[in-house]
Each structure stands twice: as C-alpha cells, then as structure tokens.
Amino acid sequence: MPFRSKLPDVETTIFTVISRRAAEVGALNIGQGFPDFPIDPRLAQHVAAAMAEGRNQYAHGDGLPELRQAIAGKLARAHGIVADPVGGITVTCGGTEALFSAIQAVVHPGDEVIVFDPAYDAYEPAVRLAGGRCVRIPLQPPTFTIDFERVRESLSPRTRLLLLNNPHNPACVVHGRDVLDELARLLRDTEVLVLSDEVYEHCVFDGRAHASVLAHPELRERAFAVFSFGKTLHVTGWRVGCCVAGPALMAEFRKVHQFNTFSIATPLQLGIARYIEEDPSSWSGLADFFGRKRDRLTAGLAGSGLRVLQTQGTYFQLLDYSALSDLPDVEFADRLIREGGVALIPLSPFYRSRPRLQLLRICFAKREDTLDLAARRLREFAAGLAASPSAAPAGAQTPWATA
Ligand code: GLN
C-alpha cells in the first residue's frame, strides 16, 4: 500500500546505532550517555515502598503534587529560581518528552526554530512533526561559541522558537550569563520563545555556575526549561523529567502533554519526591563527583595522541584524534569499535551540513574501572595507529555510515 512517511530521511538515532554495534562486537560501550554504577539504595527503597503501599495507579497528569513541590524546592535551592508547583511545573517522561511536548505546543506549520549545531538529535524531528522548520546555526569546535550576528540574521517574522542546550550536549560547553544576556537582547523586540534543554544543570565544572533561562529576568517570561532526574539521580531508564515555565506557556504545554504521555509512573514520582525531601541537597556533590571522573579519564589518556577538549559541562568529553588518523569521525568510530573494542559517538551526525570532523564523544558517567579500561584500550589503539598510520583504511564500509 502506498504510504508517505512524515520523516522519510530520519534513521535510528546514532546513540542506538552505536550501542547496537558495540553489543554486536562486544566493545566497551562508553558512547551513549548512561551511568554504569549503582543508584543510591535509598532511592530504590523509596520506589519499592511506594509500590508496596499501593501507589500504582495514574498520577495527576501534571505530576504528583509531592514531586512538583520537591522540584520547586530544588530549583529554589540549586539556582535561586522561583517556580510555581501548581501552574508552572509539569512532570514528564524524561527530558525528551518535555522537549517534544513544548515544541508541539508552540510551533505552528511554517514556523522556524533556531537550533545550534551540533544539535541533540531529538530536536529537529519534533519540530518537523509540528510542521516547522529548523534553521540550524553551526558552532565551530573547539570553542563552539555562538555567533550572535548569525543569530540576528537568522531571526525572521516566521521565527517562533530558539532552542538552547546548556550545558551543551554533545559540544560539552557551558553558556554563561553573558550568553543569555546577548540572546535576551536579540529577542527583546520579538515574540520568539525559548526552549532551554538544561538536563545537565548539575554537571558544570571548574567553578562554573549553571545559568538557567529561568533565572534570567528577561528570558524567563518567554522560556520553557527542561530538566531530568535521569541525569541528576543516575536513573536514565526511569524516564522522569520535568518542564518548567510561566503559567500561560505551561497551560499550552499541558494541553499536549496530557495527550502525549498523560501521566508519569506514580511510584517513581513518589520515590523521587521522598528521596529529595529526605536529602534536600542530594545533587550538591554531583559536579565534584563527575569532575573527578572527567579528570581521571583525562589523565588516563595523557600522552596517547588523543587530544582531550576540556569539558566545561555535561558528563561527556570530546576527543580529537586528528594527530592519529585522517579518517572522518563516523568511519573512525567504526574502526575503533571493531579494532579497539571501544564504542564512542562521532560528532558530525549532529550537524545538518556534516563538517569533516575528527571528534568523538566519550561518556565519563562510569565506574573508575570502566574509565580505566576505556583509557587503556584507547591508548593501545592509538599506539597501534601511531606505529602504522598507513594501515588506516581509506574509509572502511560502515553499515551505519549514514545514521
Ligand atoms: N542523552 C543520551 C546521550 O546523549 C542519549 C539518549 C538516547 O539514546 N536517546 O548519550
């Protein structure tokens, strides 16, 4: 039967593709972002207790009041943000649902959405399903700084939304208050909304502070912000996040959310709420915790020929392998999986016009032994390449080269 796809060119996400390849060949999967260490047992106990108490039926669609209250308290303590737990916070199925519902709520057919490349891969399909079009502004490595002149030129009467990701995955940079000020200035006389993906809010290093759009006096009124317990409590598989916005935007958000996921797993919400209530600063050590992992991985790669681009935020690190090979990143990543036994994420698939990059993203939300094993395998692989650079095949055939 003839059938017209709505997303004909969209393929399986690079994260799934790389994870599958890693599993096929038994490589160490340190590409896709998920912790491999256990969660706090008290968190698991709270969820188990909620189930045992019979809290197993639909939650309120906006989120359990206990959790929305806990989120409001957390935002206040962590970032000095005032958010209304009744009309300004909705619990979502992870950050991805929050992004999707926000985009569906505000993007009309024909609207334009400004997105910075490298762009997390969930953004563009959501915009297209809403009938919109992404205007993608490339950020150049290694600094990935925003070209504000380019942003100004990209604004048009059709621009509905600007999508920000801070800390930025996969560029691993952090936008400070100065960047938000500049964006606020550019948007001042427009009706452009801001959707800010802040799921790595607590993974900011070297004394940086997270600059949320919600803490910005001007941006706040036009912004949705997205947060994730998957990242904060090391439970990516639970799929619990939230969206925070002012009452008018949140009312529109909820119109979509209620028919998208309706409500989020009750015992997970209650368990998280009680856990936060018990330890109101459970996330406060995260920057140090992940910072030590970042530094351990960096030290493990010293002298390997892989250049580490110092991560400012997120739990990822970019590695520049240009001293070792001329292969494009997708092909290099495939060779590294097959011959080096390590699966990392190439950066170029996150750009619309794929530049020829020699950067791979590695996840350091891992146990120390995992980080050490990854570093050892990467050093050995790099040493092998340095010893016989001519052995690098000119573009091995990769089944997922277009993913
Ligand atoms: N957020 C994860 C990452 O950046 C990927 C999640 C997914 O696979 N969709 O690695």
Side-chain angles (χ1 to χ4, degrees), residues 130-365:
R133 184 175 84 81
C134 284
V135 175
R136 295 177 63 156
I137 300 181
L139 309 180
Q140 303 300 335
T143 56
F144 299 98
T145 42
I146 292 177
D147 177 347
F148 295 107
E149 187 50 29
R150 186 89 184 255
V151 177
R152 198 185 56 74
E153 288 165 9
S154 302
L155 288 168
S156 85
R158 287 185 301 277
T159 310
R160 170 74 53 186
L161 188 66
L162 182 142
L163 229 157
L164 199 63
N165 181 198
N166 187 30
H168 190 290
N169 174 23
C172 309
V173 294
V174 168
H175 301 307
R177 171 66 194 258
D178 53 329
V179 170
L180 299 192
D181 285 344
E182 197 58 39
L183 290 175
R185 199 180 59 75
L186 286 168
L187 301 185
R188 192 164 293 155
D189 299 318
T190 73
E191 291 175 7
V192 176
L193 302 171
V194 174
L195 172 56
S196 186
D197 175 353
E198 302 183 9
V199 298
Y200 296 99
E201 70 193 294
H202 299 302
C203 303
V204 291
F205 308 119
D206 307 319
R208 290 181 178 81
H210 173 58
S212 174
V213 288
L214 299 178
H216 193 280
E218 254 187 281
L219 289 178
R220 184 192 164 109
E221 64 183 29
R222 56 173 85 226
F224 297 95
V226 171
F227 302 97
S228 160
F229 287 108
K231 311 296 185 291
T232 302
L233 302 178
H234 317 304
V235 288
T236 61
W238 288 10
R239 315 300 301 128
V240 184
C242 68
C243 182
V244 181
L249 291 180
M250 188 49 73
E252 292 304 309
F253 179 92
R254 288 176 174 174
K255 291 179 189 174
V256 178
H257 165 76
Q258 68 178 341
F259 295 119
N260 185 1
T261 56
F262 179 57
S263 71
I264 307 306
T266 305
L268 297 181
Q269 292 196 62
L270 192 58
I272 292 171
R274 288 178 176 169
Y275 181 75
I276 295 177
E277 192 186 350
E278 191 176 272
D279 181 1
S281 58
S282 46
W283 61 85
S284 62
L286 278 182
D288 286 343
F289 173 75
F290 283 124
R292 283 193 297 276
K293 292 185 181 298
R294 177 196 70 164
D295 294 346
R296 187 179 185 98
L297 178 67
T298 303
L301 293 174
S304 65
L306 289 160
R307 194 165 67 86
V308 172
L309 273 58
Q310 180 84 324
T311 290
Q312 299 173 358
T314 75
Y315 50 49
F316 304 107
Q317 177 77 73
L318 290 179
L319 304 180
D320 176 344
Y321 63 83
S322 58
L324 298 169
S325 166
D326 290 333
L327 282 181
D329 58 4
V330 172
E331 291 166 27
F332 188 87
D334 187 55
R335 188 164 174 212
L336 178 59
I337 293 174
R338 286 185 285 110
E339 297 173 26
V342 182
L344 304 185
I345 305 289
L347 203 69
S348 63
F350 299 94
Y351 283 82
R352 174 180 281 159
S353 308
R354 289 196 190 182
R356 203 184 149 83
L357 290 181
Q358 287 165 297
L359 293 172
L360 301 174
R361 195 199 73 173
I362 187 167
C363 174
F364 55 76

